[in-house]
């Protein structure tokens, strides 16, 4: 079953988080103008200034005076890309919503294909970075490792090498907005809500101008946020560790007792102390694990995610 949709009367919202992007603005808007001209959709552009310290905000406001498609949100300080993106998504009115990096690493031209796939019935069309050559070796290795670890631990795998660059149907954005959690790892949330998704590969170019705002510590934090938001495995693993330790302690106890029976006691008290110590360690681990099980469930509850999300294919 494929739903086909028509772009007639459809409104497009671009959401662009910006932190110190003054240098790329002219290039960015020129490229967006070319693409929106081709698409022929009514368009709004929501730019979120994430506490820039350069002229980004002034330039945006100046542009907004003559460009009625442009709406500028200004965060009171630098809250980080995830927060800026959330602010932007919250204020969109379009039927199709596309988050975009300001630095042109997410080529706007891909929107033509995105919209075609949406017309064929896909609710989410995401870009897959088929070539990360523009990233350094260290970033590629750590990114790769992250996707591996994340997808092992999380119940909701995220496709490797995807970013926030994607087209989403309005109903997907509404679903995202029903997730009240404060610690927002958008890539994970995009996967969690589900819907009919498809990826298309693209070559990710280098940043058009300016510098990346992501320092390594911020990326590590994001990776940790991602894993802890989508997995309670690190809390719950201790039950398994504890039970394994108990099994090993049992074997060690038997070995120690047999040794004493056969060879006699060399150091008095050694076997009994060792056995008690090993079992104490194992029991503590199991106790941690049991607490982890409860804490994990409590954590799931506090996130307050909806129990289900409906997809209305008639829309
Ligand atoms: N960004 C933001 N707030 C930040 C850091 C980045 O809004 O604290 C924006 C930035 O302006 C850009 C996008 O997020 O539009 C991606 O950032 P960047 O290009 O620095 O990241 P990279 O491409 O190196 O992952
Ligand atoms: Mg970039």
């Amino acid at each position: 079953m494929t739903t086909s949709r028509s772009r007639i009367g459809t409104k497009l919202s671009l959401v662009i988080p910006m932190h110190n992007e003054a240098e790329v603005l002219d290039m960015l808007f020129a490229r967006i103008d070319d693409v929106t001209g081709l698409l022929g959709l009514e368009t709004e552009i929501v730019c979120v200034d994430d506490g820039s310290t350069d002229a980004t905000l002034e330039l945006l406001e100046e542009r907004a005076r003559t460009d009625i498609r442009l709406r500028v949100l200004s965060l009171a300080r630098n809250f980080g890309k995830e927060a800026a993106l959330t602010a932007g998504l919250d204020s969109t009115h379009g039927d199709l919503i596309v988050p975009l990096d300001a630095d042109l690493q997410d080529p706007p031209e891909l929107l033509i294909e995105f919209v075609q796939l949406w017309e064929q019935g896909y609710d989410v069309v995401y870009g897959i970075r088929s070539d990360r050559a523009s990233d350094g070796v260290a970033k590629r290795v750590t990114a790769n490792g992250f996707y591996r670890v994340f997808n092992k631990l999380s119940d909701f795998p995220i496709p490797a090498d995807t970013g926030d660059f994607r087209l989403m149907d309005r109903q997907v954005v509404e679903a995202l907005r029903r997730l009240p959690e404060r610690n927002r790892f958008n890539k994970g949330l995009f996967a969690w809500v589900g819907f009919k998704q498809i990826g298309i590969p693209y070559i990710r170019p280098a940043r058009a101008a300016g510098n990346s705002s992501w320092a390594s510590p911020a990326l590590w934090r994001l990776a940790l946020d991602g894993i802890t938001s989508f997995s309670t495995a690190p809390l719950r693993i201790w039950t398994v560790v504890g039970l394994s330790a108990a099994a090993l302690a049992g074997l060690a106890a038997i070995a120690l007792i047999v040794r004493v029976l056969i060879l006699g006691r060399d150091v008095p008290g050694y076997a009994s102390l060792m056995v008690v110590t090993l079992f104490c360690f194992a029991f503590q681990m199991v106790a941690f694990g049991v607490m982890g099980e409860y804490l994990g469930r409590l954590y799931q509850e506090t996130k307050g995610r909806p129990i289900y999300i409906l997809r209305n294919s008639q829309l």
Side-chain angles (χ1 to χ4, degrees):
M1 180 201 71
T2 12
T3 336
S4 77
R5 295 153 163 160
S6 157
R7 66 174 78 181
I8 298 166
T10 298
K11 186 170 174 179
L12 171 70
S13 300
L14 301 179
V15 181
I16 316 180
M18 295 187 178
H19 181 67
N20 294 345
E21 301 286 6
E23 281 179 54
V24 294
L25 288 186
D26 285 336
M27 273 187 273
L28 172 67
F29 283 100
R31 293 266 295 271
I32 289 177
D33 287 346
D34 288 347
V35 174
T36 50
L38 287 171
L39 280 170
L41 297 176
E42 187 193 341
T43 304
E44 70 170 351
I45 307 171
V46 179
C47 289
V48 187
D49 174 55
D50 184 15
S52 294
T53 49
D54 67 357
T56 304
L57 182 58
E58 290 76 32
L59 291 173
L60 284 174
E61 281 173 344
E62 194 184 312
R63 196 176 280 272
R65 281 198 278 276
T66 51
D67 187 343
I68 54 158
R69 303 168 306 169
L70 178 59
R71 208 139 40 77
V72 182
L73 305 182
S74 167
L75 301 190
R77 62 167 169 85
N78 178 239
F79 279 88
K81 182 183 176 185
E82 305 293 303
L85 189 57
T86 307
L89 289 177
D90 278 345
S91 82
T92 54
H93 302 295
D95 308 296
L96 307 179
I97 296 96
V98 179
L100 204 69
D101 279 4
D103 57 6
L104 290 168
Q105 287 196 281
D106 300 333
E109 291 72 24
L110 230 63
L111 275 170
I112 311 247
E113 243 175 294
F114 280 7
V115 173
Q116 280 165 358
L117 285 162
W118 172 80
E119 284 180 309
Q120 289 171 24
Y122 291 99
D123 304 309
V124 178
V125 188
Y126 53 84
I128 305 170
R129 304 163 182 179
S130 60
D131 169 22
R132 295 184 73 112
S134 62
D135 288 333
V137 177
K139 187 159 180 189
R140 264 183 284 165
V141 170
T142 44
N144 227 324
F146 170 73
Y147 286 114
R148 257 164 214 253
V149 173
F150 184 94
N151 286 339
K152 277 247 152 59
L153 294 179
S154 166
D155 295 331
F156 310 98
I158 47 179
D161 293 322
T162 59
D164 299 326
F165 185 35
R166 61 191 57 228
L167 176 143
M168 290 177 278
D169 188 88
R170 163 60 49 192
Q171 48 177 336
V172 178
V173 173
E174 288 309 316
L176 285 171
R177 296 186 57 202
R178 284 180 57 207
L179 305 179
E181 61 202 85
R182 326 203 64 74
N183 213 325
R184 293 187 89 79
F185 179 65
N186 284 312
K187 269 191 258 195
L189 299 178
F190 292 153
W192 187 88
V193 293
F195 290 93
K196 214 171 148 190
Q197 310 211 1
I198 189 170
I200 51 176
Y202 73 102
I203 293 173
R204 188 164 162 88
R207 172 175 258 286
N211 295 311
S212 170
S213 302
W214 287 101
S216 307
L219 273 180
W220 278 114
R221 257 200 317 277
L222 185 68
L224 270 181
D225 270 354
I227 290 170
T228 52
S229 298
F230 283 89
S231 173
T232 49
L235 270 176
R236 300 165 53 198
I237 193 171
W238 303 108
T239 320
V240 180
V241 172
L243 289 176
S244 316
L248 285 178
L251 290 178
I254 293 169
L256 283 169
I257 291 165
V258 169
R259 188 163 173 269
V260 169
L261 290 179
I262 297 172
L263 299 175
R265 280 192 291 191
D266 40 7
V267 183
Y270 172 76
S272 50
L273 267 179
M274 201 58 201
V275 169
V276 170
T277 314
L278 286 174
F279 274 109
C280 274
F281 169 76
F283 288 146
Q284 274 179 18
M285 283 298 138
V286 173
F288 271 135
V290 171
M291 282 194 231
E293 291 290 335
Y294 282 94
L295 199 58
R297 282 168 177 75
L298 196 62
Y299 180 54
Q300 297 287 1
E301 292 290 335
T302 52
K303 279 191 290 214
R305 290 182 186 164
I307 300 171
Y308 59 84
I309 285 172
L310 292 179
R311 173 179 192 265
N312 185 353
S313 54
Q314 300 310 308
L315 275 178

